[in-house]
Amino acid sequence: MTESFQETINKIREAFGQPESFIPLHEPRFRGNEKKYLNDAIDSTFVSSVGAYVDKVEMMLSQIAQTEKAVATVNGTAGIQIALKMVGVSEGEEVITQALTFIATANAIKHNGAVPVFLDVDLDTMGLSPDAVSNFLEEFGEIRENGVYNKKTNRRIAACLPMHTFGFPVHLDKLILVCEKWNLPIVEDSAESLGSTYRNKPTGSFGTLGVFSFNGNKVVTSGGGGVIVTNNHSLAARAKHITTTAKIPHPYEYVHDEIGFNYRLPNLNAALLCAQLEQLDIFLKSKRELASEYQQYFSKSGIHFRTELPETTANYWLMCIELETRKERDLFLSASNSAGVMTRPIWQLLTRSAMYSSCQKDEQKNATFLEDRIVNVPSSAR
C-alpha cells in the first residue's frame, strides 16, 4: 500500500467518522417515518400492489420530476422495459445506448426483444455522447417512410436511451437536437439521477419518458422499486395498465385485454419509499457536503474528483475519482478494500459481456479511457 493510498483511506474514514469499522460504498439511512408508514400499510392489510402509498408515491414522484404523470413499477429495469415499449420499441428493432452503464440498461432493451447499439460517452459527463449519436446516424442512419433505419443491419432504430451516470446528467440539449433531427424518441435512464437537474430542470423530464430506480443502494430506497415519469397522459395510462397485468377495471371480474406484466410496486415498498422521499432534500444536502469535502481534499492531493458541470446540479449518488492508469486504479481498489473501505471500479463495458459482444458499437475511445480509471468511493449520506 503506497503512502498516498493510505492518506486517501484515512481521509475517507475521517469523513465518515469511522476510524476502524467497515465503510460501505452506499448504504441507506432510515431516519424518518419508515417504520410508521410500514406499520400503517400492514395495519391496512393492503400490502401488495394496491394501496394508498402506491398512489402517494406516484404523486410525489410527479412533483419531484416536474412531470404530469408517474407510474410505479417493481424495479427500475422493468420501468425502462415498459417505457421503451411505450415509445414503440418492438422485437428485432434497435435502441441506441451506451456500453458504459449498469447492465440493466441493456437488459431492458433485450427484454423487449430489441437490440442495443452501443455508442461512446462524453469524458465530462460519462454518459451517452450526442456527438457519437450524431456521427453514428450520419454514417449508418437512413430515414424511410416509417422511421430511421440502420443501413448496416436494415433494422429500424426505434429509440435512444441515455443513462445519467452516477447522477451526472448527459448533455441533454445537444442530444435532444440530434434525436429531433432523426425523429428518435428519448427514454431517459434516470435510475441513478433522482434529484439531479439539467439547466434547472429535473432529469427524467426531458425524454418522452424517464425512469428512476429505488434499489437499496440508491439515494432513496424502497428496497426495490422504480417509477416511470412522463408528461404524456395516454402513455402513462397505458404503462399503468400493462404493468398491472392489463386487467380491465371492474369491481369483481377478472378480464384482461392483452398480455400484460406483473410489474406492480407493492404497497409495503411504496410505504418505505414515501418516508424516504420525505427526506430526499436532507440526503441530497448531506451528499453535497461530502462531495465538497472530497473535492477540497482531492484537489490538494492531485487526484481528479468528478464534479458537476456548470449547467447541471448532480445528486452525487456515487462519487468518483479518476486515477492515472488502470494499474493505479487496481492498486487503489486492492488497498482500500483490504483496509475495510469499500470502493469499486466503474462498470466493465457491456460490449465485453458474452451477451452483448456481437452488438454494433463505435470505437468506444472515451468509454475505454474511463473504464480504466474511474473508481467510486464511499458516498452515503451522513
Side-chain angles (χ1 to χ4, degrees), residues 94-101 116-122 126-140 150 157 159-162 175 178-179 184 349-351 359-368:
E94 294 180 346
V95 176
I96 291 173
T97 192
Q98 60 206 64
L100 190 69
T101 182
V117 173
F118 294 113
L119 301 184
D120 208 355
V121 298
D122 284 320
M126 300 179 287
L128 186 63
S129 168
D131 290 338
V133 176
S134 179
N135 292 339
F136 173 83
L137 290 170
E138 291 294 338
E139 181 176 359
F140 296 103
N150 185 334
I157 304 172
C160 180
L161 179 62
L175 185 62
V178 173
C179 290
L184 279 178
L349 298 187
L350 294 184
T351 49
C359 293
Q360 189 174 1
K361 64 180 186 298
D362 60 9
E363 190 179 2
Q364 299 288 304
K365 180 180 178 181
N366 293 340
T368 302

mmCIF file of all heavy atoms in Angstrom, residues 94-101 116-122 126-140 150 157 159-162 175 178-179 184 349-351 359-368:
data_model
loop_
_atom_site.group_PDB
_atom_site.id
_atom_site.type_symbol
_atom_site.label_atom_id
_atom_site.label_comp_id
_atom_site.label_asym_id
_atom_site.label_seq_id
_atom_site.Cartn_x
_atom_site.Cartn_y
_atom_site.Cartn_z
ATOM 1 N N GLU A 94 -33.806 -1.688 -33.020
ATOM 2 C CA GLU A 94 -32.591 -1.277 -32.326
ATOM 3 C C GLU A 94 -32.841 -0.072 -31.430
ATOM 4 O O GLU A 94 -33.715 0.760 -31.706
ATOM 5 C CB GLU A 94 -31.488 -0.935 -33.336
ATOM 6 C CG GLU A 94 -31.020 -2.147 -34.134
ATOM 7 C CD GLU A 94 -29.932 -1.820 -35.134
ATOM 8 O OE1 GLU A 94 -29.700 -0.618 -35.414
ATOM 9 O OE2 GLU A 94 -29.307 -2.774 -35.651
ATOM 10 N N VAL A 95 -32.063 0.001 -30.363
ATOM 11 C CA VAL A 95 -32.097 1.142 -29.450
ATOM 12 C C VAL A 95 -30.663 1.610 -29.238
ATOM 13 O O VAL A 95 -29.786 0.810 -28.883
ATOM 14 C CB VAL A 95 -32.741 0.771 -28.098
ATOM 15 C CG1 VAL A 95 -32.665 1.960 -27.130
ATOM 16 C CG2 VAL A 95 -34.182 0.326 -28.287
ATOM 17 N N ILE A 96 -30.426 2.888 -29.446
ATOM 18 C CA ILE A 96 -29.100 3.465 -29.218
ATOM 19 C C ILE A 96 -28.911 3.729 -27.738
ATOM 20 O O ILE A 96 -29.760 4.339 -27.081
ATOM 21 C CB ILE A 96 -28.948 4.782 -30.011
ATOM 22 C CG1 ILE A 96 -28.896 4.494 -31.513
ATOM 23 C CG2 ILE A 96 -27.704 5.541 -29.567
ATOM 24 C CD1 ILE A 96 -28.923 5.739 -32.375
ATOM 25 N N THR A 97 -27.784 3.259 -27.202
ATOM 26 C CA THR A 97 -27.477 3.486 -25.795
ATOM 27 C C THR A 97 -25.967 3.477 -25.613
ATOM 28 O O THR A 97 -25.207 3.557 -26.583
ATOM 29 C CB THR A 97 -28.179 2.437 -24.907
ATOM 30 O OG1 THR A 97 -28.094 2.847 -23.534
ATOM 31 C CG2 THR A 97 -27.577 1.061 -25.070
ATOM 32 N N GLN A 98 -25.512 3.363 -24.385
ATOM 33 C CA GLN A 98 -24.092 3.390 -24.063
ATOM 34 C C GLN A 98 -23.654 2.054 -23.483
ATOM 35 O O GLN A 98 -24.429 1.362 -22.815
ATOM 36 C CB GLN A 98 -23.792 4.525 -23.085
ATOM 37 C CG GLN A 98 -24.543 4.408 -21.751
ATOM 38 C CD GLN A 98 -24.758 5.746 -21.083
ATOM 39 O OE1 GLN A 98 -25.447 6.627 -21.598
ATOM 40 N NE2 GLN A 98 -24.150 5.920 -19.913
ATOM 41 N N ALA A 99 -22.383 1.696 -23.727
ATOM 42 C CA ALA A 99 -21.832 0.457 -23.182
ATOM 43 C C ALA A 99 -21.297 0.657 -21.773
ATOM 44 O O ALA A 99 -21.145 -0.305 -21.020
ATOM 45 C CB ALA A 99 -20.718 -0.077 -24.087
ATOM 46 N N LEU A 100 -21.003 1.908 -21.407
ATOM 47 C CA LEU A 100 -20.519 2.222 -20.069
ATOM 48 C C LEU A 100 -21.728 2.523 -19.190
ATOM 49 O O LEU A 100 -22.132 3.666 -19.000
ATOM 50 C CB LEU A 100 -19.569 3.415 -20.101
ATOM 51 C CG LEU A 100 -18.811 3.691 -18.795
ATOM 52 C CD1 LEU A 100 -17.792 2.587 -18.517
ATOM 53 C CD2 LEU A 100 -18.134 5.052 -18.827
ATOM 54 N N THR A 101 -22.327 1.465 -18.677
ATOM 55 C CA THR A 101 -23.531 1.588 -17.866
ATOM 56 C C THR A 101 -23.758 0.281 -17.110
ATOM 57 O O THR A 101 -23.134 -0.740 -17.415
ATOM 58 C CB THR A 101 -24.762 1.911 -18.740
ATOM 59 O OG1 THR A 101 -25.920 2.067 -17.901
ATOM 60 C CG2 THR A 101 -25.046 0.805 -19.739
ATOM 61 N N PRO A 116 -29.450 -3.647 -28.609
ATOM 62 C CA PRO A 116 -28.745 -2.407 -28.293
ATOM 63 C C PRO A 116 -27.676 -2.079 -29.340
ATOM 64 O O PRO A 116 -27.029 -2.978 -29.886
ATOM 65 C CB PRO A 116 -28.094 -2.685 -26.940
ATOM 66 C CG PRO A 116 -28.396 -4.091 -26.583
ATOM 67 C CD PRO A 116 -29.084 -4.744 -27.717
ATOM 68 N N VAL A 117 -27.511 -0.802 -29.605
ATOM 69 C CA VAL A 117 -26.369 -0.289 -30.355
ATOM 70 C C VAL A 117 -25.577 0.560 -29.368
ATOM 71 O O VAL A 117 -26.105 1.525 -28.812
ATOM 72 C CB VAL A 117 -26.813 0.561 -31.562
ATOM 73 C CG1 VAL A 117 -25.607 1.212 -32.227
ATOM 74 C CG2 VAL A 117 -27.587 -0.289 -32.559
ATOM 75 N N PHE A 118 -24.320 0.190 -29.146
ATOM 76 C CA PHE A 118 -23.528 0.821 -28.093
ATOM 77 C C PHE A 118 -22.633 1.915 -28.658
ATOM 78 O O PHE A 118 -21.717 1.637 -29.444
ATOM 79 C CB PHE A 118 -22.684 -0.224 -27.374
ATOM 80 C CG PHE A 118 -23.491 -1.238 -26.610
ATOM 81 C CD1 PHE A 118 -23.508 -2.570 -26.998
ATOM 82 C CD2 PHE A 118 -24.238 -0.863 -25.506
ATOM 83 C CE1 PHE A 118 -24.242 -3.508 -26.294
ATOM 84 C CE2 PHE A 118 -24.977 -1.794 -24.789
ATOM 85 C CZ PHE A 118 -24.983 -3.119 -25.185
ATOM 86 N N LEU A 119 -22.897 3.162 -28.231
ATOM 87 C CA LEU A 119 -22.110 4.293 -28.685
ATOM 88 C C LEU A 119 -21.334 4.914 -27.527
ATOM 89 O O LEU A 119 -21.615 4.651 -26.360
ATOM 90 C CB LEU A 119 -23.015 5.329 -29.351
ATOM 91 C CG LEU A 119 -23.807 4.803 -30.555
ATOM 92 C CD1 LEU A 119 -24.594 5.935 -31.205
ATOM 93 C CD2 LEU A 119 -22.894 4.129 -31.575
ATOM 94 N N ASP A 120 -20.359 5.732 -27.874
ATOM 95 C CA ASP A 120 -19.420 6.242 -26.886
ATOM 96 C C ASP A 120 -20.070 7.260 -25.958
ATOM 97 O O ASP A 120 -21.153 7.798 -26.230
ATOM 98 C CB ASP A 120 -18.212 6.866 -27.600
ATOM 99 C CG ASP A 120 -16.938 6.794 -26.769
ATOM 100 O OD1 ASP A 120 -16.997 6.357 -25.596
ATOM 101 O OD2 ASP A 120 -15.869 7.167 -27.303
ATOM 102 N N VAL A 121 -19.375 7.538 -24.876
ATOM 103 C CA VAL A 121 -19.801 8.524 -23.888
ATOM 104 C C VAL A 121 -18.916 9.758 -23.997
ATOM 105 O O VAL A 121 -17.862 9.736 -24.642
ATOM 106 C CB VAL A 121 -19.727 7.946 -22.459
ATOM 107 C CG1 VAL A 121 -20.673 6.760 -22.304
ATOM 108 C CG2 VAL A 121 -18.296 7.543 -22.097
ATOM 109 N N ASP A 122 -19.340 10.827 -23.358
ATOM 110 C CA ASP A 122 -18.502 12.017 -23.235
ATOM 111 C C ASP A 122 -17.608 11.877 -22.007
ATOM 112 O O ASP A 122 -18.039 11.337 -20.975
ATOM 113 C CB ASP A 122 -19.358 13.273 -23.099
ATOM 114 C CG ASP A 122 -19.978 13.699 -24.418
ATOM 115 O OD1 ASP A 122 -19.289 13.624 -25.453
ATOM 116 O OD2 ASP A 122 -21.166 14.112 -24.420
ATOM 117 N N MET A 126 -19.568 11.280 -18.607
ATOM 118 C CA MET A 126 -19.508 9.812 -18.527
ATOM 119 C C MET A 126 -20.790 9.168 -19.047
ATOM 120 O O MET A 126 -21.015 7.976 -18.869
ATOM 121 C CB MET A 126 -19.202 9.322 -17.103
ATOM 122 C CG MET A 126 -17.874 9.805 -16.549
ATOM 123 S SD MET A 126 -17.525 9.260 -14.853
ATOM 124 C CE MET A 126 -18.664 10.304 -13.923
ATOM 125 N N GLY A 127 -21.647 9.969 -19.689
ATOM 126 C CA GLY A 127 -22.898 9.484 -20.250
ATOM 127 C C GLY A 127 -22.907 9.602 -21.760
ATOM 128 O O GLY A 127 -21.998 10.182 -22.370
ATOM 129 N N LEU A 128 -23.945 9.091 -22.380
ATOM 130 C CA LEU A 128 -24.043 8.993 -23.834
ATOM 131 C C LEU A 128 -23.691 10.323 -24.514
ATOM 132 O O LEU A 128 -24.226 11.374 -24.159
ATOM 133 C CB LEU A 128 -25.456 8.562 -24.222
ATOM 134 C CG LEU A 128 -25.695 8.269 -25.710
ATOM 135 C CD1 LEU A 128 -24.859 7.094 -26.191
ATOM 136 C CD2 LEU A 128 -27.178 8.010 -25.955
ATOM 137 N N SER A 129 -22.823 10.248 -25.502
ATOM 138 C CA SER A 129 -22.333 11.435 -26.195
ATOM 139 C C SER A 129 -23.242 11.813 -27.361
ATOM 140 O O SER A 129 -23.437 11.010 -28.283
ATOM 141 C CB SER A 129 -20.918 11.182 -26.730
ATOM 142 O OG SER A 129 -20.530 12.196 -27.627
ATOM 143 N N PRO A 130 -23.796 13.029 -27.368
ATOM 144 C CA PRO A 130 -24.589 13.463 -28.523
ATOM 145 C C PRO A 130 -23.788 13.440 -29.821
ATOM 146 O O PRO A 130 -24.339 13.122 -30.885
ATOM 147 C CB PRO A 130 -24.991 14.896 -28.152
ATOM 148 C CG PRO A 130 -24.928 14.931 -26.662
ATOM 149 C CD PRO A 130 -23.804 14.034 -26.282
ATOM 150 N N ASP A 131 -22.500 13.773 -29.759
ATOM 151 C CA ASP A 131 -21.664 13.732 -30.967
ATOM 152 C C ASP A 131 -21.534 12.315 -31.493
ATOM 153 O O ASP A 131 -21.573 12.086 -32.705
ATOM 154 C CB ASP A 131 -20.284 14.318 -30.680
ATOM 155 C CG ASP A 131 -20.319 15.819 -30.469
ATOM 156 O OD1 ASP A 131 -21.278 16.461 -30.931
ATOM 157 O OD2 ASP A 131 -19.384 16.350 -29.826
ATOM 158 N N ALA A 132 -21.384 11.351 -30.584
ATOM 159 C CA ALA A 132 -21.283 9.948 -31.009
ATOM 160 C C ALA A 132 -22.581 9.495 -31.660
ATOM 161 O O ALA A 132 -22.570 8.765 -32.664
ATOM 162 C CB ALA A 132 -20.948 9.058 -29.815
ATOM 163 N N VAL A 133 -23.708 9.918 -31.106
ATOM 164 C CA VAL A 133 -25.012 9.564 -31.686
ATOM 165 C C VAL A 133 -25.155 10.195 -33.071
ATOM 166 O O VAL A 133 -25.575 9.538 -34.037
ATOM 167 C CB VAL A 133 -26.164 10.007 -30.761
ATOM 168 C CG1 VAL A 133 -27.518 9.728 -31.415
ATOM 169 C CG2 VAL A 133 -26.074 9.297 -29.410
ATOM 170 N N SER A 134 -24.783 11.458 -33.181
ATOM 171 C CA SER A 134 -24.886 12.154 -34.461
ATOM 172 C C SER A 134 -23.987 11.506 -35.511
ATOM 173 O O SER A 134 -24.416 11.270 -36.655
ATOM 174 C CB SER A 134 -24.507 13.629 -34.283
ATOM 175 O OG SER A 134 -24.577 14.315 -35.507
ATOM 176 N N ASN A 135 -22.754 11.215 -35.133
ATOM 177 C CA ASN A 135 -21.818 10.599 -36.081
ATOM 178 C C ASN A 135 -22.314 9.240 -36.553
ATOM 179 O O ASN A 135 -22.209 8.900 -37.743
ATOM 180 C CB ASN A 135 -20.441 10.451 -35.433
ATOM 181 C CG ASN A 135 -19.767 11.788 -35.178
ATOM 182 O OD1 ASN A 135 -20.117 12.792 -35.802
ATOM 183 N ND2 ASN A 135 -18.819 11.809 -34.269
ATOM 184 N N PHE A 136 -22.861 8.466 -35.631
ATOM 185 C CA PHE A 136 -23.376 7.149 -35.990
ATOM 186 C C PHE A 136 -24.539 7.267 -36.972
ATOM 187 O O PHE A 136 -24.592 6.557 -37.989
ATOM 188 C CB PHE A 136 -23.822 6.386 -34.739
ATOM 189 C CG PHE A 136 -24.511 5.085 -35.038
ATOM 190 C CD1 PHE A 136 -23.778 3.942 -35.285
ATOM 191 C CD2 PHE A 136 -25.895 5.006 -35.086
ATOM 192 C CE1 PHE A 136 -24.409 2.732 -35.576
ATOM 193 C CE2 PHE A 136 -26.530 3.813 -35.379
ATOM 194 C CZ PHE A 136 -25.785 2.677 -35.621
ATOM 195 N N LEU A 137 -25.458 8.162 -36.671
ATOM 196 C CA LEU A 137 -26.640 8.306 -37.530
ATOM 197 C C LEU A 137 -26.271 8.872 -38.903
ATOM 198 O O LEU A 137 -26.862 8.488 -39.921
ATOM 199 C CB LEU A 137 -27.675 9.183 -36.847
ATOM 200 C CG LEU A 137 -28.367 8.537 -35.627
ATOM 201 C CD1 LEU A 137 -29.187 9.561 -34.864
ATOM 202 C CD2 LEU A 137 -29.230 7.360 -36.052
ATOM 203 N N GLU A 138 -25.310 9.774 -38.944
ATOM 204 C CA GLU A 138 -24.876 10.307 -40.234
ATOM 205 C C GLU A 138 -24.251 9.217 -41.099
ATOM 206 O O GLU A 138 -24.399 9.216 -42.326
ATOM 207 C CB GLU A 138 -23.877 11.453 -40.026
ATOM 208 C CG GLU A 138 -24.481 12.712 -39.423
ATOM 209 C CD GLU A 138 -25.486 13.392 -40.336
ATOM 210 O OE1 GLU A 138 -25.438 13.170 -41.569
ATOM 211 O OE2 GLU A 138 -26.331 14.152 -39.820
ATOM 212 N N GLU A 139 -23.557 8.267 -40.456
ATOM 213 C CA GLU A 139 -22.904 7.195 -41.203
ATOM 214 C C GLU A 139 -23.860 6.055 -41.536
ATOM 215 O O GLU A 139 -23.847 5.528 -42.656
ATOM 216 C CB GLU A 139 -21.709 6.648 -40.417
ATOM 217 C CG GLU A 139 -20.955 5.533 -41.145
ATOM 218 C CD GLU A 139 -19.714 5.062 -40.424
ATOM 219 O OE1 GLU A 139 -19.400 5.613 -39.337
ATOM 220 O OE2 GLU A 139 -19.041 4.142 -40.944
ATOM 221 N N PHE A 140 -24.683 5.672 -40.580
ATOM 222 C CA PHE A 140 -25.490 4.462 -40.748
ATOM 223 C C PHE A 140 -26.991 4.725 -40.856
ATOM 224 O O PHE A 140 -27.747 3.839 -41.244
ATOM 225 C CB PHE A 140 -25.240 3.490 -39.590
ATOM 226 C CG PHE A 140 -23.844 2.969 -39.508
ATOM 227 C CD1 PHE A 140 -22.942 3.467 -38.574
ATOM 228 C CD2 PHE A 140 -23.407 1.979 -40.378
ATOM 229 C CE1 PHE A 140 -21.643 2.983 -38.499
ATOM 230 C CE2 PHE A 140 -22.112 1.485 -40.315
ATOM 231 C CZ PHE A 140 -21.221 1.992 -39.374
ATOM 232 N N ASN A 150 -31.081 1.505 -39.758
ATOM 233 C CA ASN A 150 -29.639 1.279 -39.773
ATOM 234 C C ASN A 150 -29.290 0.624 -41.106
ATOM 235 O O ASN A 150 -29.687 -0.513 -41.369
ATOM 236 C CB ASN A 150 -29.261 0.374 -38.595
ATOM 237 C CG ASN A 150 -27.767 0.181 -38.453
ATOM 238 O OD1 ASN A 150 -27.006 0.286 -39.420
ATOM 239 N ND2 ASN A 150 -27.335 -0.125 -37.241
ATOM 240 N N ILE A 157 -34.255 1.770 -36.179
ATOM 241 C CA ILE A 157 -33.750 2.308 -34.915
ATOM 242 C C ILE A 157 -34.936 2.983 -34.230
ATOM 243 O O ILE A 157 -35.464 3.987 -34.708
ATOM 244 C CB ILE A 157 -32.602 3.304 -35.140
ATOM 245 C CG1 ILE A 157 -31.483 2.646 -35.952
ATOM 246 C CG2 ILE A 157 -32.077 3.808 -33.797
ATOM 247 C CD1 ILE A 157 -30.399 3.621 -36.391
ATOM 248 N N ALA A 159 -35.406 3.990 -30.783
ATOM 249 C CA ALA A 159 -35.326 4.915 -29.655
ATOM 250 C C ALA A 159 -33.874 5.168 -29.280
ATOM 251 O O ALA A 159 -32.963 4.460 -29.719
ATOM 252 C CB ALA A 159 -36.084 4.365 -28.447
ATOM 253 N N CYS A 160 -33.695 6.168 -28.440
ATOM 254 C CA CYS A 160 -32.390 6.490 -27.858
ATOM 255 C C CYS A 160 -32.526 6.447 -26.346
ATOM 256 O O CYS A 160 -33.448 7.050 -25.783
ATOM 257 C CB CYS A 160 -31.926 7.873 -28.323
ATOM 258 S SG CYS A 160 -30.330 8.393 -27.666
ATOM 259 N N LEU A 161 -31.616 5.741 -25.689
ATOM 260 C CA LEU A 161 -31.698 5.501 -24.246
ATOM 261 C C LEU A 161 -30.408 5.949 -23.557
ATOM 262 O O LEU A 161 -29.496 5.164 -23.345
ATOM 263 C CB LEU A 161 -31.960 4.016 -23.977
ATOM 264 C CG LEU A 161 -32.057 3.544 -22.525
ATOM 265 C CD1 LEU A 161 -33.224 4.213 -21.801
ATOM 266 C CD2 LEU A 161 -32.204 2.018 -22.475
ATOM 267 N N PRO A 162 -30.290 7.245 -23.203
ATOM 268 C CA PRO A 162 -29.119 7.706 -22.447
ATOM 269 C C PRO A 162 -29.250 7.372 -20.970
ATOM 270 O O PRO A 162 -30.356 7.289 -20.431
ATOM 271 C CB PRO A 162 -29.152 9.215 -22.662
ATOM 272 C CG PRO A 162 -30.616 9.530 -22.780
ATOM 273 C CD PRO A 162 -31.237 8.341 -23.479
ATOM 274 N N LEU A 175 -28.258 16.371 -27.230
ATOM 275 C CA LEU A 175 -28.823 15.064 -27.561
ATOM 276 C C LEU A 175 -30.245 15.209 -28.091
ATOM 277 O O LEU A 175 -30.630 14.528 -29.054
ATOM 278 C CB LEU A 175 -28.809 14.156 -26.329
ATOM 279 C CG LEU A 175 -29.272 12.718 -26.567
ATOM 280 C CD1 LEU A 175 -28.358 12.002 -27.554
ATOM 281 C CD2 LEU A 175 -29.335 11.943 -25.253
ATOM 282 N N VAL A 178 -30.161 16.306 -31.748
ATOM 283 C CA VAL A 178 -29.801 15.190 -32.639
ATOM 284 C C VAL A 178 -30.989 14.267 -32.838
ATOM 285 O O VAL A 178 -31.329 13.883 -33.971
ATOM 286 C CB VAL A 178 -28.593 14.408 -32.083
ATOM 287 C CG1 VAL A 178 -28.331 13.148 -32.919
ATOM 288 C CG2 VAL A 178 -27.349 15.282 -32.055
ATOM 289 N N CYS A 179 -31.650 13.912 -31.737
ATOM 290 C CA CYS A 179 -32.759 12.967 -31.831
ATOM 291 C C CYS A 179 -33.968 13.578 -32.536
ATOM 292 O O CYS A 179 -34.701 12.874 -33.244
ATOM 293 C CB CYS A 179 -33.126 12.458 -30.438
ATOM 294 S SG CYS A 179 -31.874 11.359 -29.723
ATOM 295 N N LEU A 184 -36.161 10.512 -33.382
ATOM 296 C CA LEU A 184 -35.985 9.401 -32.453
ATOM 297 C C LEU A 184 -36.500 9.791 -31.065
ATOM 298 O O LEU A 184 -36.059 10.802 -30.509
ATOM 299 C CB LEU A 184 -34.507 9.014 -32.334
ATOM 300 C CG LEU A 184 -33.900 8.132 -33.404
ATOM 301 C CD1 LEU A 184 -32.419 7.910 -33.102
ATOM 302 C CD2 LEU A 184 -34.627 6.798 -33.491
ATOM 303 N N LEU A 349 -17.229 -2.447 -19.707
ATOM 304 C CA LEU A 349 -18.056 -2.142 -20.872
ATOM 305 C C LEU A 349 -18.925 -3.349 -21.227
ATOM 306 O O LEU A 349 -18.447 -4.482 -21.258
ATOM 307 C CB LEU A 349 -17.189 -1.764 -22.071
ATOM 308 C CG LEU A 349 -16.307 -0.526 -21.937
ATOM 309 C CD1 LEU A 349 -15.659 -0.197 -23.278
ATOM 310 C CD2 LEU A 349 -17.087 0.665 -21.423
ATOM 311 N N LEU A 350 -20.204 -3.091 -21.509
ATOM 312 C CA LEU A 350 -21.130 -4.182 -21.790
ATOM 313 C C LEU A 350 -20.754 -4.934 -23.058
ATOM 314 O O LEU A 350 -21.134 -6.102 -23.226
ATOM 315 C CB LEU A 350 -22.554 -3.644 -21.904
ATOM 316 C CG LEU A 350 -23.145 -3.061 -20.614
ATOM 317 C CD1 LEU A 350 -24.594 -2.655 -20.829
ATOM 318 C CD2 LEU A 350 -23.029 -4.039 -19.450
ATOM 319 N N THR A 351 -20.013 -4.301 -23.936
ATOM 320 C CA THR A 351 -19.575 -4.985 -25.161
ATOM 321 C C THR A 351 -18.576 -6.092 -24.860
ATOM 322 O O THR A 351 -18.274 -6.906 -25.728
ATOM 323 C CB THR A 351 -18.939 -3.978 -26.133
ATOM 324 O OG1 THR A 351 -17.970 -3.187 -25.425
ATOM 325 C CG2 THR A 351 -19.997 -3.061 -26.721
ATOM 326 N N CYS A 359 -22.974 -7.054 -30.560
ATOM 327 C CA CYS A 359 -23.765 -5.860 -30.895
ATOM 328 C C CYS A 359 -22.898 -4.813 -31.586
ATOM 329 O O CYS A 359 -21.695 -4.701 -31.325
ATOM 330 C CB CYS A 359 -24.382 -5.265 -29.636
ATOM 331 S SG CYS A 359 -25.630 -6.300 -28.855
ATOM 332 N N GLN A 360 -23.526 -4.037 -32.441
ATOM 333 C CA GLN A 360 -22.811 -2.976 -33.138
ATOM 334 C C GLN A 360 -22.341 -1.922 -32.138
ATOM 335 O O GLN A 360 -23.061 -1.549 -31.210
ATOM 336 C CB GLN A 360 -23.710 -2.336 -34.193
ATOM 337 C CG GLN A 360 -22.994 -1.368 -35.118
ATOM 338 C CD GLN A 360 -23.898 -0.874 -36.249
ATOM 339 O OE1 GLN A 360 -25.075 -1.254 -36.321
ATOM 340 N NE2 GLN A 360 -23.365 -0.049 -37.127
ATOM 341 N N LYS A 361 -21.139 -1.416 -32.347
ATOM 342 C CA LYS A 361 -20.580 -0.404 -31.459
ATOM 343 C C LYS A 361 -19.638 0.480 -32.253
ATOM 344 O O LYS A 361 -19.193 0.127 -33.350
ATOM 345 C CB LYS A 361 -19.830 -1.049 -30.298
ATOM 346 C CG LYS A 361 -18.594 -1.855 -30.688
ATOM 347 C CD LYS A 361 -17.923 -2.454 -29.469
ATOM 348 C CE LYS A 361 -16.598 -3.139 -29.795
ATOM 349 N NZ LYS A 361 -16.775 -4.272 -30.712
ATOM 350 N N ASP A 362 -19.323 1.645 -31.678
ATOM 351 C CA ASP A 362 -18.323 2.505 -32.292
ATOM 352 C C ASP A 362 -16.981 2.277 -31.605
ATOM 353 O O ASP A 362 -16.784 1.260 -30.931
ATOM 354 C CB ASP A 362 -18.765 3.971 -32.260
ATOM 355 C CG ASP A 362 -18.996 4.494 -30.847
ATOM 356 O OD1 ASP A 362 -18.660 3.775 -29.878
ATOM 357 O OD2 ASP A 362 -19.502 5.623 -30.704
ATOM 358 N N GLU A 363 -16.075 3.213 -31.730
ATOM 359 C CA GLU A 363 -14.709 2.999 -31.235
ATOM 360 C C GLU A 363 -14.631 2.879 -29.721
ATOM 361 O O GLU A 363 -13.713 2.269 -29.177
ATOM 362 C CB GLU A 363 -13.817 4.145 -31.721
ATOM 363 C CG GLU A 363 -12.336 3.918 -31.470
ATOM 364 C CD GLU A 363 -11.483 5.059 -31.986
ATOM 365 O OE1 GLU A 363 -12.061 6.046 -32.503
ATOM 366 O OE2 GLU A 363 -10.241 4.980 -31.863
ATOM 367 N N GLN A 364 -15.551 3.507 -28.998
ATOM 368 C CA GLN A 364 -15.585 3.448 -27.529
ATOM 369 C C GLN A 364 -14.305 4.020 -26.894
ATOM 370 O O GLN A 364 -13.851 3.561 -25.846
ATOM 371 C CB GLN A 364 -15.801 2.004 -27.052
ATOM 372 C CG GLN A 364 -17.094 1.361 -27.507
ATOM 373 C CD GLN A 364 -18.315 1.923 -26.820
ATOM 374 O OE1 GLN A 364 -18.420 1.940 -25.595
ATOM 375 N NE2 GLN A 364 -19.258 2.414 -27.616
ATOM 376 N N LYS A 365 -13.749 5.034 -27.526
ATOM 377 C CA LYS A 365 -12.486 5.601 -27.049
ATOM 378 C C LYS A 365 -12.625 6.193 -25.650
ATOM 379 O O LYS A 365 -11.825 5.900 -24.750
ATOM 380 C CB LYS A 365 -12.000 6.675 -28.031
ATOM 381 C CG LYS A 365 -10.690 7.327 -27.644
ATOM 382 C CD LYS A 365 -10.278 8.373 -28.681
ATOM 383 C CE LYS A 365 -8.979 9.061 -28.264
ATOM 384 N NZ LYS A 365 -8.593 10.108 -29.270
ATOM 385 N N ASN A 366 -13.624 7.044 -25.452
ATOM 386 C CA ASN A 366 -13.814 7.672 -24.142
ATOM 387 C C ASN A 366 -14.253 6.664 -23.092
ATOM 388 O O ASN A 366 -13.806 6.706 -21.938
ATOM 389 C CB ASN A 366 -14.838 8.795 -24.242
ATOM 390 C CG ASN A 366 -14.365 9.958 -25.083
ATOM 391 O OD1 ASN A 366 -13.167 10.127 -25.304
ATOM 392 N ND2 ASN A 366 -15.294 10.757 -25.572
ATOM 393 N N ALA A 367 -15.141 5.764 -23.483
ATOM 394 C CA ALA A 367 -15.634 4.755 -22.542
ATOM 395 C C ALA A 367 -14.491 3.878 -22.040
ATOM 396 O O ALA A 367 -14.422 3.549 -20.846
ATOM 397 C CB ALA A 367 -16.702 3.902 -23.205
ATOM 398 N N THR A 368 -13.592 3.510 -22.927
ATOM 399 C CA THR A 368 -12.447 2.678 -22.533
ATOM 400 C C THR A 368 -11.514 3.441 -21.606
ATOM 401 O O THR A 368 -11.003 2.891 -20.623
ATOM 402 C CB THR A 368 -11.684 2.197 -23.777
ATOM 403 O OG1 THR A 368 -12.576 1.467 -24.618
ATOM 404 C CG2 THR A 368 -10.517 1.306 -23.402
#
